[in-house]
C-alpha cells in the first residue's frame, strides 16, 4: 500500500529530478548538506541495505563520539558507560554489542575485553573519514553479525591529493566536574612524485573529566521467605527453613525479591586517550596501489569513588512488606553493618593495528585485492593493580535495625534507608569514633587479544555483470589473567569494624584519613526519595597505606589483625595473588570462502539490480583453563558474614570444538521510477559467542559471603547464534538531499545463548554458617531457544530548498515472539534482549558559513541482559532492564574564513540520567547522573 501510494507522485517526477539537478548550483562538498548528500547517494546506490555517515570536511566529523553519530541513523541506539556517561556501544535493530561486528577499513579490530564488540569511546572521531553500517551482509566482507557490520573508514593520502593540514583544539567541561580539560589534534597529508606516493599522519589527544552520582541496588535475588518474617507475624520465634515438616510459620513458601546490597557513590573519572595513525600509499604503476597503515590507541581511565553500601540477607529480614508482585518494599534487619566504601579503578587500554593492502588492476575487467593485518589489544599491559578498594564501617554490637522502603518507580524514585546510624541514631550516621576497618580488595586484571587476518579477492566486471570470488583467514587469540586479594584471603586481614563494634577484628581509624563529607541533597536530578545526609570522602590508597603502616603481624602483635585469615602469609602489604580459576586462553581460527554475482537488467522497462552471494565459514576453537574444586569452607572469627573457600588441587583443562556454516545472501532492487525504489533482501548470518564465555573451567571465588555462595562456568562448545534475515523496503528520493523510506525487517534467530543459574552443591562441601551442604548459585551458559524479531524502520530526510534549513527524522518499532515474562520464575526463563522502540530527530541549518544542529534521541525501555551485580537468586539469572531515556544535544559552528572554523557543543542539555531496574519497574538497580558537557574550540584547515 505504501508503494502504491508513492508511485503516482513519483511518476509525475520521473524526469523532473534530472532536469532540476542540472540547473542546481555547484554541488556542496563540505558542511552538513554536503555530508548528508554523500550519505544519501551511498544508500541509494548500494545493492543492500546500508546507512552511512561521512565527514563534513577533513578533520570535521559530525559528533565528538563515534557512537553518538551512529545513533542518529534509523534502527540504531546506543549504550552508555554509567560512571563516564560516554556512549560506548551500539544496538542495531535490537541487537547490541556483541551482535555487531566493527571493522576498521574492512579489518577486525582486536579488543581485550573478551567480547565481540568494541568500546566506541576508544575510537577517536576527529579524523574518521566515514562510517558505513551494513544492515544486510556483503559476503565479500563478512557475514559474522546478526545486527550489522560497522565499517570505520580512515582517510588516506590519495583521497585528497596534494598538501593538506587540519588542526583542531578545544576545551570541554562537564558541569558537575567543574574543570575545563583540553582536546587537540593535527592531521598532515601530502602526495609526491606526480601523486604516485603519499603519506598521511595524524595524532589526537582527548580528555574528558566526569563527576557522576550513582545510587545502586546490587541485585534483586529471588527466593522464598517464611510467614514469620512478614510484618504482623505473631510467631514466637522465626527460624526460616526449607524443611517441609517444620511449622508452617517457619517454612519458606512465599515468593519474593529483596535488595541484596543498597548504596550510593560519587565518582570522578578522568578519561585520557591518545590516537595516532600513519598511512603510506604508493603507485609503482598506474594499475597497482599499495597502502600500508598503522593505527594506535592508548586510553587511560581513572575513576575515584566514595560512598556507602549496606549488605542484606534474605533469611535475616523481618517485618517484611510485599507488593502484589512479591517485591519486598519494606523490612528491617537487626544488627546490620554499615559500610563506607572508597575505590580507585585505573585501567590502561592499548590497541595497535598494522595492515598492508595491495590492489592490482590486472586488466580493465579483472581486479585483484590482497589484504593482511595484525592487531593486538592489551588491558593493563604494565601489570598494574587496576582496582583498589576500601571498606570501613560499624556494626555488630552497635549495628542498627536497618531497613529500606521502596516507595515508587525506578525511573523517578530511589529507595529510602531507615533506622540508620550507630545504634539507630541518625545523627551518628558518619560518627568517625565508631568506624573501624573492614575489608580490603585489590584486583589486577591483565588481558590480551591478538588477531592475525588475511584476505584475497578477485573481481571481474564486464558491462552490467560483476563477479567476486575470494577467501579469508582470521586467527584470534585471547588471554585473560587475574590476581586479587580474595585468592590469598588478604582482603579479610583487618575485617571486623574495630573495637567500637565489639569484635576482636578490625582497627580504629584516625580521623585524618577522611576529607570531610559530601551532602546528598539533590543527589539525582528529577528523583524523589532520600539518602542518608552525607557520604564520607576518603581514598582507598590512604586507607591501605594506614593499615600497612601498622607493620607486619607475623613479627609483632597488632590488635585487630585477623589471625585466622591468611595462613600466616600476610606481612602487612595487600599484595595480590594469582586467581588461577579465572585464567583462560581461547583460540579461534576461521577460514572463509565466498562467491558473489551482481548484475543489472530490466523488468518491464524498469532498471532491476540483482546481487546474490554465498559465504562458507569454518571455525576451529580451542579453550584452556584451570579447574579447582572446593574442599572446605571456613567462616571468619571477625565477621560472621564472610566465608573463605579452600580450593583443592589445580587441574588444567583443554577442550576443542569445530563448526561450519554456509551463509547465503540475496539483494534485489527495482527502480519503479528514477525516484522510487523497491528493495528485497534475504540472508543468513551468524554471531559467534564471546570469547570470554568459552572457558572450560568452573570458577569458584575464594572470598564469598554468607547466603551468597556463587560459581561461574563457561562452555567451550557453545555454537554461534544463527539468523535468517529478510528485508523489504520502499525508498523515495523525491528531491536533492531529501528522501523518505520505510523498511520492514524480520530475523529468525536460533541457538540463543542463555545463562541459567542453578542452586547446587559442589564437591559436598559444608557451609559453616548453616551446618548443611553448601548451596552455590552456579551460572552456566548453553545454546537453547530460538526467537523471531520483527520491526519497521521509518526515515525522512528533508531540506527546504536553498534556505539552509532541514531535518532528519526516523523511528524504529520492534517486536518479538519471545518477550520477557516477569511471572516466569523457572530456571530456564528466556527473552530476546536489546529490543526497544526508538526515535531520532535532527534539525539543522547550514548556510553562509553557519552550521547549527539540534538532535533529540529517544529510546524506550528495554531488556539489557540476564544477570545483575549480585546474581544469587533461586529463579535463574535475574534480568536488567534499562529505563526509557530522551537526550537532547546541540552543536554549532561558524566559518570565520575559508581556513578557520569555530565550533561549540552542548550535550545532554536536559540533564537526563541513566537508570536500570530488575524484574519489576520498582526494583531499582542503578541510577547514574552524568550531567551536561559543554565544548568549544577552533579548527584550522589548509
Amino acid at each position: 500500500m505504501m508503494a502504491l501510494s508513492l508511485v503516482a507522485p513519483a511518476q509525475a517526477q520521473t524526469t523532473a529530478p534530472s532536469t532540476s539537478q542540472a540547473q542546481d548550483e555547484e554541488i556542496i562538498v563540505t558542511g552538513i548538506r554536503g555530508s548528508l548528500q554523500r550519505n544519501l547517494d551511498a544508500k541509494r546506490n548500494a545493492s543492500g541495505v546500508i546507512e552511512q555517515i561521512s565527514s563534513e570536511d577533513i578533520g570535521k566529523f559530525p559528533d565528538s563520539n563515534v557512537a553518538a553519530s551512529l545513533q542518529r541513523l534509523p534502527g540504531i541506539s546506543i549504550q552508555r558507560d554509567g560512571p563516564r556517561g560516554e556512549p560506548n556501544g551500539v544496538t542495531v535493530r535490537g541487537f547490541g554489542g556483541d551482535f555487531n561486528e566493527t571493522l576498521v577499513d574492512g579489518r577486525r579490530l582486536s579488543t581485550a575485553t573478551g567480547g565481540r564488540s568494541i568500546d566506541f569511546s576508544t575510537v577517536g572521531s576527529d579524523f574518521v573519514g566515514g562510517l558505513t553500517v551494513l544492515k544486510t551482509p556483503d559476503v565479500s566482507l563478512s557475514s559474522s553479525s546478526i545486527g550489522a557490520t560497522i565499517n570505520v573508514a580512515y582517510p588516506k593520502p590519495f583521497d585528497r591529493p596534494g598538501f593538506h593540514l587540519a588542526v583542531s583544539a578545544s576545551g570541554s567541561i562537564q558541569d558537575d566536574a567543574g574543570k575545563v580539560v583540553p582536546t587537540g589534534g593535527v592531521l598532515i597529508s601530502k602526495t609526491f612524485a606526480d601523486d604516485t606516493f603519499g603519506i598521511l599522519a595524524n595524532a589526537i589527544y582527548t580528555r574528558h573529566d566526569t563527576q557522576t552520582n550513582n545510587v545502586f541496588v546490587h541485585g534483586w535475588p529471588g527466593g522464598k521467605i517464611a510467614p514469620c518474617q512478614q510484618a504482623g507475624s505473631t510467631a514466637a520465634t522465626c527460624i526460616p527453613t526449607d524443611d517441609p515438616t517444620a511449622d508452617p510459620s517457619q517454612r519458606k513458601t512465599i515468593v519474593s525479591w529483596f535488595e541484596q546490597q543498597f548504596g550510593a557513590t560519587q565518582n570522578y573519572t578522568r578519561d585520557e586517550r591518545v590516537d595516532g595513525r600513519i598511512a603510506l600509499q604508493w603507485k609503482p604503476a598506474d594499475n597497482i596501489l599499495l597502502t600500508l597503515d598503522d593505527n594506535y590507541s592508548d586510553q587511560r581511565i581513572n575513576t575515584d569513588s566514595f560512598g556507602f553500601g549496606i549488605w542484606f540477607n534474605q533469611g535475616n529480614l523481618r517485618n517484611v512488606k510485599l507488593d502484589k508482585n512479591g517485591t519486598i518494599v519494606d523490612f528491617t534487619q537487626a544488627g546490620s553493618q554499615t559500610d563506607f566504601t572508597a575505590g580507585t579503578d585505573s585501567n590502561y587500554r592499548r590497541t595497535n593495528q598494522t595492515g598492508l593492502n595491495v590492489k592490482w588492476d590486472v586488466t580493465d575487467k579483472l581486479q585483484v585485492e590482497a589484504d593482511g593485518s595484525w592487531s593486538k589489544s592489551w588491558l593493563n599491559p604494565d601489570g598494574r593493580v587496576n582496582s583498589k578498594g576500601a571498606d570501613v564501617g560499624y556494626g555488630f554490637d552497635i549495628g542498627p535495625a536497618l531497613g529500606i522502603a521502596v516507595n515508587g518507580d525506578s525511573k523517578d524514585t530511589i529507595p529510602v534507608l531507615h533506622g540508620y546510624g550507630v545504634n539507630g541514631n541518625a545523627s551518628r550516621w558518619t560518627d568517625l569514633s565508631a568506624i573501624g576497618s573492614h575489608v580490603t580488595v585489590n584486583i589486577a586484571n591483565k588481558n590480551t587479544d591478538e588477531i592475525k587476518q588475511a584476505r584475497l579477492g578477485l573481481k571481474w566486471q564486464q558491462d552490467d555483470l560483476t563477479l567476486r570470488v575470494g577467501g579469508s583467514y582470521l586467527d584470534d587469540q585471547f588471554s585473560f589473567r587475574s590476581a586479587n586479594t580474595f585468592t590469598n584471603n588478604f582482603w579479610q586481614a583487618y575485617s571486623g569494624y574495630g573495637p567500637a563494634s565489639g569484635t576482636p577484628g578490625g582497627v580504629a581509624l584516625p580521623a585524618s584519613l577522611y576529607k570531610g563529607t559530601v551532602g546528598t541533597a539533590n543527589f539525582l536530578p528529577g528523583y524523589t526519595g532520600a539518602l542518608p545526609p552525607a557520604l564520607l570522602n576518603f581514598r582507598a590508597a590512604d586507607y591501605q597505606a594506614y593499615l600497612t603502616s601498622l607493620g607486619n603481624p607475623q613479627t609483632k602483635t597488632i590488635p585487630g589483625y585477623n589471625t585466622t585469615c591468611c595462613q600466616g602469609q600476610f606481612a602487612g602489604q595487600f599484595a595480590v595473588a594469582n586467581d588461577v580459576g579465572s585464567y583462560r586462553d581461547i583460540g579461534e581460527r576461521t577460514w572463509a570462502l565466498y562467491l558473489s554475482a551482481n548484475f543489472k537488467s530490466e523488468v518491464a522497462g524498469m532498471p532491476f539490480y540483482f546481487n546474490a552471494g554465498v559465504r562458507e565459514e569454518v571455525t576451529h576453537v580451542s579453550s584452556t583453563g584451570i579447574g579447582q574444586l572446593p574442599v572446605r569452607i571456613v567462616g571468619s572469627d571477625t565477621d560472621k558474614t564472610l566465608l573463605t573457600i579452600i580450593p583443592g588441587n589445580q587441574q588444567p583443562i583443554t577442550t576443542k570444538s569445530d563448526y561450519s556454516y554456509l551463509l547465503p545472501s540475496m539483494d534485489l532492487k527495482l527502480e519503479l521510477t528514477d525516484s522510487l525504489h523497491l528493495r528485497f533482501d534475504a540472508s543468513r548470518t551468524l554471531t559467534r559467542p564471546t570469547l570470554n564465555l568459552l572457558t572450560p573451567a568452573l570458577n569458584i571465588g575464594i572470598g564469598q559471603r554468607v547466603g551468597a555462595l556463587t560459581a561461574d562456568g563457561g562452555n567451550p562448545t557453545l555454537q554461534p547464534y544463527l539468523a535468517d534475515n529478510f528485508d523489504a523496503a520502499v525508498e523515495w528520493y523525491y528531491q536533492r538531499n531529501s528522501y523518505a523510506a520505510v523498511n520492514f525487517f524480520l530475523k529468525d534467530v536460533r541457538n540463543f545463548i542463555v545463562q541459567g543459574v542453578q542452586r547446587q552443591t559442589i564437591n559436598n562441601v559444608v557451609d559453616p554458617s548453616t551446618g548443611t551442604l553448601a548451596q552455590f548459585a552456579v551460572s552456566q551458559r548453553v545454546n537453547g531457544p530460538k526467537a523471531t524479531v520483527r520491526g519497521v524502520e521509518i526515515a525522512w530526510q528533508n531540506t527546504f530548498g536553498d534556505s539552509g534549513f532541514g531535518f532528519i527524522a526516523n523511528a524504529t518499532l520492534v517486536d518479538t515472539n519471545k518477550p520477557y515474562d516477569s511471572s516466569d520464575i523457572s530456571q530456564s526463563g528466556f527473552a530476546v534482549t536489546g529490543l526497544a522502540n526508538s526515535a531520532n530527530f535532527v534539525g539543522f541549518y547550514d548556510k553562509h558559513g553557519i552550521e547549527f544542529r539540534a538532535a533529540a534521541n529517544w529510546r524506550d525501555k528495554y531488556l539489557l541482559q540476564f544477570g545483575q551485580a549480585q546474581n544469587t537468586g533461586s529463579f535463574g539469572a535475574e534480568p536488567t532492564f534499562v529505563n526509557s531515556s530522551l537526550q537532547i544535544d546541540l552543536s554549532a559552528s561558524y566559518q570565520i574564513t575559508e581556513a578557520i572554523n569555530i565550533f561549540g557543543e552542548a550535550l545532554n542539555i536536559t540533564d537526563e540520567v541513566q537508570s536500570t531496574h530488575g524484574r519489576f519497574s520498582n526494583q531499582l538497580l542503578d541510577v547514574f547522573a552524568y550531567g551536561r558537557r559543554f565544548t568549544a574550540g577552533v579548527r584550522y584547515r589548509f
Side-chain angles (χ1 to χ4, degrees):
M1 292 176 63
M2 176 68 74
L4 291 173
S5 68
L6 294 176
V7 166
Q11 287 179 335
Q13 298 183 32
T14 300
T15 58
S18 59
T19 303
S20 62
Q21 288 172 12
Q23 297 173 352
D24 279 348
E25 297 177 1
E26 182 179 357
I27 295 175
I28 298 171
V29 295
T30 62
I32 296 175
R33 288 183 293 169
S35 172
L36 292 179
Q37 185 63 50
R38 289 191 294 275
N39 302 339
L40 185 151
D41 290 342
K43 179 181 180 69
R44 180 175 184 167
N45 297 327
S47 58
V49 180
I50 75 164
E51 309 289 347
Q52 182 170 295
I53 302 174
S54 61
S55 174
E56 295 173 10
D57 199 351
I58 188 169
K60 188 182 177 187
F61 202 67
D63 293 277
S64 58
N65 181 285
V66 169
S69 284
L70 287 169
Q71 73 174 327
R72 321 289 188 208
L73 299 174
I76 300 181
S77 303
I78 63 170
Q79 293 86 49
R80 292 184 181 274
D81 177 280
R84 291 186 291 154
E86 290 277 353
N88 64 344
V90 298
T91 294
V92 182
R93 294 176 167 180
F95 290 88
D98 297 321
F99 286 96
N100 303 306
E101 184 176 40
T102 300
L103 309 176
V104 173
D105 288 328
R107 302 160 180 156
R108 264 264 304 276
L109 186 66
S110 58
T111 171
T113 63
R116 299 287 178 182
S117 62
I118 70 168
D119 183 343
F120 279 94
S121 72
T122 67
V123 180
S125 69
D126 293 57
F127 299 124
V128 168
L131 301 172
T132 302
V133 181
L134 289 83
K135 295 178 179 176
T136 57
D138 177 351
V139 297
S140 66
L141 188 64
S142 175
S143 295
S144 300
S145 56
I146 291 176
T149 298
I150 301 168
N151 190 37
V152 181
Y154 284 116
K156 301 172 183 63
F158 285 174
D159 293 346
R160 297 170 181 250
F163 176 75
H164 298 279
L165 171 68
V167 180
S168 65
S170 65
S172 69
I173 183 171
Q174 189 248 7
D175 49 5
D176 294 324
K179 181 184 294 185
V180 177
V181 293
T183 292
V186 59
L187 179 146
I188 301 176
S189 178
K190 177 74 167 102
T191 57
F192 308 88
D194 296 327
D195 297 333
T196 60
F197 181 78
I199 182 170
L200 180 150
N202 66 51
I204 311 165
Y205 170 80
T206 306
R207 177 175 167 184
H208 283 165
D209 282 22
T210 307
Q211 181 174 291
T212 305
N213 292 339
N214 172 220
V215 174
F216 65 83
V217 176
H218 281 171
W220 284 86
K224 295 181 179 180
I225 62 170
C228 66
Q229 294 179 256
Q230 290 188 281
S233 171
T234 59
T237 61
C238 190
I239 307 175
T241 179
D242 292 311
D243 185 356
T245 65
D247 184 279
S249 67
Q250 312 295 308
R251 292 203 302 264
K252 294 191 286 185
T253 57
I254 303 171
V255 173
S256 65
W257 288 265
F258 79 103
E259 295 167 287
Q260 183 81 81
Q261 187 179 27
F262 172 70
T265 61
Q266 186 169 97
N267 313 283
Y268 191 98
T269 300
R270 174 171 169 158
D271 180 356
E272 289 185 286
R273 190 179 73 243
V274 175
D275 297 284
R277 170 175 168 80
I278 186 168
L280 305 174
Q281 288 189 299
W282 178 41
K283 281 187 175 181
D286 289 342
N287 62 339
I288 299 176
L289 172 62
L290 285 78
T291 304
L292 175 66
D293 58 71
D294 186 89
N295 303 312
Y296 177 81
S297 175
D298 183 301
Q299 185 177 33
R300 303 178 190 229
I301 304 174
N302 189 86
T303 300
D304 288 307
S305 63
F306 57 87
F308 73 90
I310 299 175
W311 183 267
F312 299 99
N313 189 305
Q314 192 170 36
N316 295 336
L317 307 185
R318 299 295 183 267
N319 302 310
V320 168
K321 296 179 181 179
L322 302 166
D323 69 5
K324 63 180 181 180
N325 294 320
T327 300
I328 295 178
V329 295
D330 206 348
F331 65 87
T332 59
Q333 177 177 276
S336 295
Q337 292 82 50
T338 296
D339 294 83
F340 297 98
T341 60
T344 295
D345 291 329
S346 178
N347 283 294
Y348 173 19
R349 306 171 179 176
R350 190 171 72 203
T351 299
N352 195 69
Q353 184 182 62
T354 302
L356 175 64
N357 181 276
V358 180
K359 292 180 180 178
W360 177 27
D361 294 328
V362 183
T363 68
D364 291 341
K365 300 176 182 178
L366 179 63
Q367 183 185 78
V368 177
E369 181 177 3
D371 190 275
S373 67
W374 168 87
S375 177
K376 189 167 185 177
S377 296
W378 298 262
L379 176 65
N380 303 320
D382 54 359
R384 67 179 60 191
V385 174
N386 61 283
S387 181
K388 295 182 178 181
D391 188 326
V392 305
Y394 52 82
F396 303 113
D397 286 358
I398 58 175
L402 275 176
I404 297 178
V406 176
N407 299 316
D409 196 273
S410 58
K411 65 183 180 182
D412 56 18
T413 309
I414 58 175
V416 176
L417 192 68
H418 56 76
Y420 58 81
V422 176
N423 289 320
N425 183 346
S427 66
R428 300 186 66 190
W429 162 249
T430 56
D431 184 347
L432 301 184
S433 66
I435 295 175
S437 66
H438 193 38
V439 297
T440 307
V441 177
N442 286 343
I443 299 172
N445 292 328
K446 186 177 180 180
N447 306 348
T448 61
D449 182 31
E450 184 176 19
I451 293 178
K452 301 172 185 175
Q453 53 195 319
R455 54 185 168 88
L456 176 66
L458 286 79
K459 182 174 76 173
W460 185 80
Q461 187 171 8
Q462 182 175 2
D463 300 328
D464 293 327
L465 175 65
T466 302
L467 297 176
R468 290 181 174 87
V469 63
S472 64
Y473 170 73
L474 189 144
D475 180 359
D476 192 351
Q477 301 292 322
F478 173 72
S479 176
F480 178 87
R481 297 289 183 268
S482 182
N484 52 59
T485 52
F486 292 114
T487 302
N488 50 26
N489 221 31
F490 287 6
W491 74 305
Q492 297 185 35
Y494 287 101
S495 62
Y497 302 110
S501 293
T503 73
V507 298
L509 299 171
S512 59
L513 280 182
Y514 306 102
K515 300 180 179 180
T517 60
V518 171
T520 59
N522 302 315
F523 199 66
L524 298 173
Y527 269 72
T528 61
L531 294 169
L535 306 181
L536 267 180
N537 186 353
F538 68 109
R539 296 179 66 249
D542 295 339
Y543 166 74
Q544 293 191 20
Y546 174 75
L547 294 181
T548 297
S549 72
L550 299 177
N552 183 352
Q554 310 307 323
T555 59
K556 61 185 291 190
T557 299
I558 303 176
Y561 170 66
N562 183 357
T563 57
T564 62
C565 82
C566 312
Q567 300 180 354
Q569 298 177 1
F570 181 75
Q573 301 285 337
F574 290 93
V576 296
N578 291 331
D579 180 6
V580 297
S582 68
Y583 283 14
R584 46 188 176 267
D585 293 287
I586 314 295
E588 185 180 81
R589 296 178 174 87
T590 299
W591 295 89
L593 294 174
Y594 68 85
L595 172 66
S596 71
N598 188 317
F599 69 87
K600 176 183 176 182
S601 183
E602 287 189 353
V603 174
M606 296 177 290
F608 175 69
Y609 301 83
F610 178 82
N611 180 64
V614 64
R615 186 178 179 95
E616 172 76 11
E617 295 198 353
V618 180
T619 301
H620 306 282
V621 179
S622 64
S623 176
T624 299
I626 299 176
Q628 282 184 295
L629 293 177
V631 295
R632 189 161 55 97
I633 304 177
V634 297
S636 170
D637 292 338
T638 61
D639 186 344
K640 300 304 180 183
T641 70
L642 303 181
L643 296 173
T644 300
I645 307 294
I646 306 301
N649 294 330
Q650 299 179 14
Q651 299 176 332
I653 304 171
T654 298
T655 62
K656 294 185 178 182
S657 64
D658 305 281
Y659 54 82
S660 63
Y661 289 96
L662 189 68
L663 307 170
S665 72
M666 178 180 66
D667 306 298
L668 295 84
K669 183 175 71 167
L670 179 64
E671 295 186 356
L672 298 178
T673 72
D674 186 56
S675 302
L676 187 63
H677 298 179
L678 299 181
R679 292 184 185 272
F680 177 78
D681 307 86
S683 65
R684 173 170 289 180
T685 55
L686 60 79
T687 288
R688 293 179 175 81
T690 57
L691 294 171
N692 60 342
L693 298 182
L694 301 179
T695 176
L698 183 68
N699 184 25
I700 306 170
I702 300 296
Q704 307 241 9
R705 284 185 178 270
V706 169
L709 292 170
T710 61
D712 186 74
N715 184 349
T717 64
L718 287 173
Q719 295 290 298
Y721 304 82
L722 197 65
D724 292 324
N725 316 288
F726 304 92
D727 279 75
V730 181
E731 300 169 351
W732 182 24
Y733 301 91
Y734 58 89
Q735 68 180 26
R736 181 170 178 77
N737 222 330
S738 303
Y739 83 100
V742 179
N743 191 337
F744 299 90
F745 63 87
L746 183 145
K747 295 176 180 289
D748 281 320
V749 187
R750 57 183 180 271
N751 291 344
F752 268 97
I753 296 172
V754 294
Q755 177 183 353
V757 179
Q758 300 277 354
R759 295 190 67 83
Q760 63 186 68
T761 62
I762 299 178
N763 209 28
N764 291 326
V765 293
V766 173
D767 184 342
S769 67
T770 64
T772 61
L773 291 179
Q775 294 288 323
F776 290 82
V778 181
S779 300
Q780 291 186 310
R781 282 86 174 173
V782 295
N783 290 110
K786 58 182 180 179
T788 298
V789 174
R790 56 211 170 223
V792 58
E793 297 171 347
I794 305 168
W796 186 11
Q797 177 178 309
N798 186 78
T799 53
F800 296 96
D802 195 38
S803 68
F805 289 98
F807 67 82
I808 307 166
N810 61 70
T812 304
L813 308 176
V814 292
D815 191 15
T816 178
N817 66 336
K818 294 288 186 180
Y820 182 74
D821 181 3
S822 60
S823 65
D824 184 359
I825 60 173
S826 67
Q827 294 283 347
S828 57
F830 166 74
V832 178
T833 60
L835 297 183
N837 296 333
S838 61
N840 305 293
F841 180 86
V842 180
F844 63 85
Y845 175 80
D846 176 17
K847 197 172 183 181
H848 304 306
I850 299 172
E851 292 184 7
F852 177 80
R853 181 192 287 111
N857 302 100
W858 172 79
R859 188 177 190 182
D860 204 357
K861 182 186 81 170
Y862 66 96
L863 174 62
L864 174 66
Q865 64 187 27
F866 284 92
Q868 299 173 357
Q870 300 290 341
N871 205 43
T872 59
S874 301
F875 307 142
E878 289 293 323
T880 296
F881 285 90
V882 179
N883 286 320
S884 62
S885 63
L886 171 65
Q887 178 160 324
I888 299 176
D889 304 325
L890 303 176
S891 63
S893 69
Y894 177 62
Q895 198 75 31
I896 298 176
T897 69
E898 185 177 348
I900 300 175
N901 174 281
I902 57 174
F903 63 93
E905 185 179 61
L907 304 180
N908 192 29
I909 62 172
T910 57
D911 208 9
E912 181 76 7
V913 302
Q914 173 182 308
S915 62
T916 59
H917 67 79
R919 185 179 292 252
F920 303 106
S921 63
N922 62 345
Q923 294 182 355
L924 180 143
L925 290 171
D926 268 302
V927 185
F928 288 99
Y930 51 86
R932 307 174 182 89
R933 189 180 304 281
F934 304 93
T935 302
V938 60
R939 298 186 185 96
Y940 172 80
R941 176 177 59 88
F942 177 79

